[in-house]
Structure formats: structure tokens, C-alpha cells
């Protein structure tokens, strides 16, 4: 089954992640995600757009590559890490993360912890909300609410 990354998602993800990573970090993200080919030339935005579009052409199922590329960004708060130096990084991160989640949902897709992107309704919750709250895994509570 051939599954492409929708073009509006390519544009949005490229815009967001190009603002938060260096060229070297982007190269590393895409290489670790097993994106095909050598790093494209151009600025960071062009690099991300080109590489994601290349995935659609050369990878039978491009969604796992997209999931692996955005995993670090989507789950940054779970690691309690402030890599971007701004005091308002949590608000910026939440806004950008919400934009990605909304774009995915508008195309019938959903992001799940671990870099998984799947069609809406294709998997169930892995933990009950009650279990998550009892374990006091607050980051997971937010993810589970967003998933629902």
C-alpha cells in the first residue's frame, strides 16, 4: 500500500522544524528516519520540503519516515528539555505541535507517541486514562487527550 505525505503537511512540517533545528540537526533527523538520498541543497525550509517530497516518490509508505522526522519535536516536552533558549518555548512548542496535529487530522491522520502516524480510528488507546493519571504521567495525559 502506497501512502504519501499530503502536500500541505509537507509544507507545514518543513516550516516548523526548519525553524527549530540547524542544517546538521535536520540532516541527522532525516538520516535517522531513513529518508532516501543525500541531504538536499538549499535553505533549511527547502531542504525539509525536498526531502519529504522525495519520500513520497521513493518510499512505498512515507508516513513512517514523517513520523520519525517529527518525533523529537512532537515529544520534546516529555523530555523536559528546553533546546530553543526561549522562556516561552513551551507555549511555542504547544502551538506548533497543535498545528501539526490539526493538519494531520484534517487529512485523516494522527500522531502517536513513538513517531507513529496512522489513519484516524485505526488503533486503540494503549493505556486507559485512569492508568495514566494513576501513574502521574502528565505528558502522557496530554497526549492521550489530544489523541482522543
Amino acid at each position: 500500500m502506497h501512502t504519501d505525505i499530503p502536500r500541505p503537511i509537507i509544507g507545514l512540517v518543513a516550516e516548523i522544524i526548519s525553524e527549530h533545528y540547524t542544517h546538521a540537526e535536520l540532516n541527522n533527523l532525516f538520516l535517522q528516519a531513513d529518508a532516501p538520498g543525500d541531504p538536499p541543497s538549499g535553505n533549511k525550509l527547502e531542504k525539509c520540503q525536498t526531502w519529504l517530497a522525495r519520500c513520497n516518490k521513493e518510499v512505498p509508505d512515507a508516513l513512517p519516515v514523517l513520523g520519525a522526522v517529527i518525533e523529537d519535536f512532537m515529544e520534546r516536552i516529555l523530555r523536559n528539555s528546553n533546546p530553543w533558549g526561549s522562556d516561552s518555548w513551551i507555549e511555542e512548542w504547544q502551538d506548533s505541535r497543535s498545528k501539526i496535529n490539526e493538519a494531520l487530522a484534517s487529512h485523516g491522520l494522527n500522531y502517536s507517541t513513538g513517531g507513529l502516524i496512522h489513519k484516524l480510528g485505526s488503533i486503540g488507546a494503549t493505556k486507559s486514562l485512569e492508568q495514566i493519571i494513576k501513574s502521574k504521567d502528565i505528558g502522557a495525559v496530554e497526549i492521550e487527550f489530544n489523541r482522543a
Side-chain angles (χ1 to χ4, degrees):
M1 180 170 118
H2 188 82
T3 309
D4 283 349
I5 305 164
R7 290 172 50 96
I9 293 174
I10 289 174
L12 178 66
V13 167
E15 178 183 341
I16 290 172
I17 67 172
S18 67
E19 293 175 358
H20 295 285
Y21 296 95
T22 66
H23 275 282
E25 290 169 333
L26 289 170
N27 290 345
N28 193 40
L29 283 173
F30 280 92
L31 292 172
Q32 287 183 2
D34 205 20
D38 292 327
S41 60
N43 63 41
K44 295 186 296 182
L45 177 62
E46 293 167 337
K47 175 184 293 213
C48 294
Q49 289 172 335
T50 301
W51 225 333
L52 290 171
R54 186 188 299 161
C55 289
N56 281 348
K57 291 180 183 176
E58 299 181 24
V59 179
D61 185 4
L63 294 180
V65 177
L66 173 64
V69 166
I70 66 173
E71 179 182 9
D72 178 71
F73 181 81
M74 296 295 281
E75 299 179 21
R76 177 66 62 172
I77 199 165
L78 298 178
R79 296 181 185 96
N80 291 323
S81 176
N82 178 0
W84 302 305
S86 168
D87 289 339
S88 62
W89 76 276
I90 293 177
E91 293 83 16
E92 293 171 20
W93 172 83
Q94 288 174 330
D95 182 52
S96 294
R97 186 174 179 274
S98 292
K99 287 178 183 176
I100 292 172
N101 281 327
E102 288 168 11
L104 289 169
S106 73
H107 291 278
L109 301 170
N110 188 41
Y111 177 86
S112 293
T113 303
L116 302 174
I117 296 180
H118 51 85
K119 293 185 177 179
L120 286 172
S122 65
I123 66 168
T126 56
K127 287 185 182 179
S128 75
L129 185 56
E130 181 180 10
Q131 289 172 321
I132 294 169
I133 291 171
K134 284 182 180 178
S135 71
K136 297 180 183 168
D137 191 351
I138 302 304
V141 171
E142 179 184 2
I143 289 168
E144 199 64 23
F145 273 117
N146 288 336
R147 187 203 61 77

